[in-house]
Amino acid sequence: MEKRIFAEDKYMWIPVRKDGEPVKLEWYVENKKVMEMDVPLTEGKPDYWAVFDVSPWENQWMTVRDAEEHCEINEEYCQITNEEKLPVCPKGERPKLHYAPETGWMNDPNGLIYLNGVWKIYHQYNPYGCKWGNMHWGATETKDFIHWKETSVVLSPDESGVMYSGCGLLAESDGEMWKKGDILYYYTAAGGGNKWSGEQQFTQRLAVSSDEGYHLEKKM
């Protein structure tokens, strides 16, 4: 089962149910796979809306497929919007001091680095459910470990696997794939951790940021 969607805005909201049956959604642009995610979908009001950044394919047609044909994909599952965030947590229910993303599931801190008075903290992150899975790198920053600013997902699963833990280093000199002052992120791509990567092995990879850690470009 599949559906074509025109990405006329930057974000797609996907409904998530805590008790939903996981559905494997595969996303294609011009027959090239660009994303794979396991999402607990059920009928009825969602517990929250997950945000899928489709800005790299804005103003293009995307095709979403239920890889295992568990459900019929309808308009409810693909709301295109220019709004990145939708408040989901009632006031007073979020942690006062400890960081927690607005939605989804998190664990291991990754790529910790201090730059220009700001602590940049990345973490293992599942935007599309409340359990372990779909491992991305989520991101936040703080100046005092009391006030937190959630930024964006910086590493997403691909054909090399899902995104496991790693570290961040400031480049002190130019290199073949970076310039002095860039941030180098070494991480593990967990091959075999998603259908997309098949039976590939775990590999060590490099991503580079030239804008103080807000966007990471996979290099190898």
Side-chain angles (χ1 to χ4, degrees), residues 5-21:
I5 306 163
F6 187 65
E8 59 185 347
D9 279 318
K10 296 181 178 180
Y11 305 103
M12 184 176 301
W13 287 355
I14 300 173
V16 175
R17 294 276 294 183
K18 295 177 183 177
D19 58 350
E21 180 71 21

Side-chain angles (χ1 to χ4, degrees), residues 14 23 25 29 50 75 78 86 110 114 125 145 164 183 191 219:
I14 300 173
V23 174
L25 299 181
V29 175
E75 297 295 338
C78 45
L86 177 69
N110 303 153
Y114 180 73
Y125 182 44
F145 288 91
Y164 274 15
I183 307 177
K219 294 291 189 177

Side-chain angles (χ1 to χ4, degrees), residues 10 12 30 35 39 42 46-47 49 54 70 81 87 93 104 107 114 116 126 139 146 148 157 159 162 177 194 216 220:
K10 296 181 178 180
M12 184 176 301
E30 296 182 351
M35 180 58 70
V39 186
T42 58
D47 291 305
W49 292 87
V54 296
H70 285 173
T81 175
E93 291 189 7
N107 74 328
Y114 180 73
N116 298 328
N126 179 7
I146 297 175
W148 303 88
E159 64 273 13
V162 291
M177 291 179 285
N194 56 0
L216 277 58
M220 59 175 289

Side-chain angles (χ1 to χ4, degrees), residues 106-112 120-124 137-138 164-167:
M106 69 177 294
N107 74 328
D108 303 351
N110 303 153
L112 311 179
K120 297 183 178 293
I121 302 173
Y122 306 88
H123 57 86
Q124 295 284 275
W137 273 30
Y164 274 15
S165 296
C167 62

